[in-house]
Amino acid sequence: QVQLVESGGGLVQPGGSLRLSCAASGFTFSLYAMTWYRQAPGKERELVAAISNGGGSTNYADSVKGRFTISRDNAKNTVYLQMNSLKPEDTAVYYCNVHKAGTGYWGQGTQVTVSS
C-alpha cells in the first residue's frame, strides 16, 4: 500500500521556476531515502535528485546541479523538488521514487513543460 502522489507540474517559460511535491503514505517515510526521476518523450527515465532519510545528504544529476533543490518534510511525509532557471530540456514527466524491501515504488508522475 505504498503510495506516492506527485503534484505541482505545469507549463512554465524558460528561466522560470516550479516546485514539485510528492506526498507519501503506506510506509515509515522518515526511514527511507527519496528520489526524483524524470522521463522525456522517447528517452529513458533518468535520476534527477536524491535525498537521505533525514535530509542531511543530497545528490543531483550534473544537468540540474545548481538549479534544482531537493528537500523533505518528514512531519508531512512529503518530498519536494524546487526547480529554478528552467530550460526546455527540463521538459519531462517527473516521478518520485522510494526503494523499500528491495522494490522500487513510483508515483503517477507530474508533467513539467518548459516552453516559450
Side-chain angles (χ1 to χ4, degrees):
Q1 67 206 72
V2 171
Q3 286 193 320
L4 303 171
V5 181
E6 301 95 335
S7 62
L11 175 64
V12 64
Q13 293 186 349
S17 298
L18 284 173
R19 187 196 192 203
L20 306 184
S21 298
C22 174
S25 62
F27 64 101
T28 306
F29 181 76
S30 62
L31 296 180
Y32 293 89
M34 298 294 296
T35 53
W36 284 98
Y37 286 75
R38 67 186 181 187
Q39 187 167 27
K43 298 183 179 179
E44 293 189 338
R45 197 168 298 186
E46 64 173 339
L47 178 67
V48 175
I51 188 167
S52 61
N53 62 330
S57 297
T58 58
N59 291 98
Y60 300 92
D62 288 343
S63 59
V64 307
K65 197 167 188 176
R67 300 187 297 120
F68 290 12
T69 303
I70 188 171
S71 62
R72 66 192 296 160
D73 186 340
N74 284 349
K76 296 182 178 180
N77 285 5
T78 302
V79 62
Y80 305 95
L81 186 67
Q82 178 67 46
M83 306 185 295
N84 299 326
S85 302
L86 283 162
K87 304 174 180 179
E89 51 262 46
D90 296 318
T91 296
V93 178
Y94 284 71
Y95 302 88
C96 62
N97 171 271
V98 61
H99 282 91
K100 179 179 179 292
T103 301
Y105 294 87
W106 303 89
Q108 83 288 346
T110 185
Q111 176 72 49
V112 172
T113 303
V114 185
S115 176
S116 298

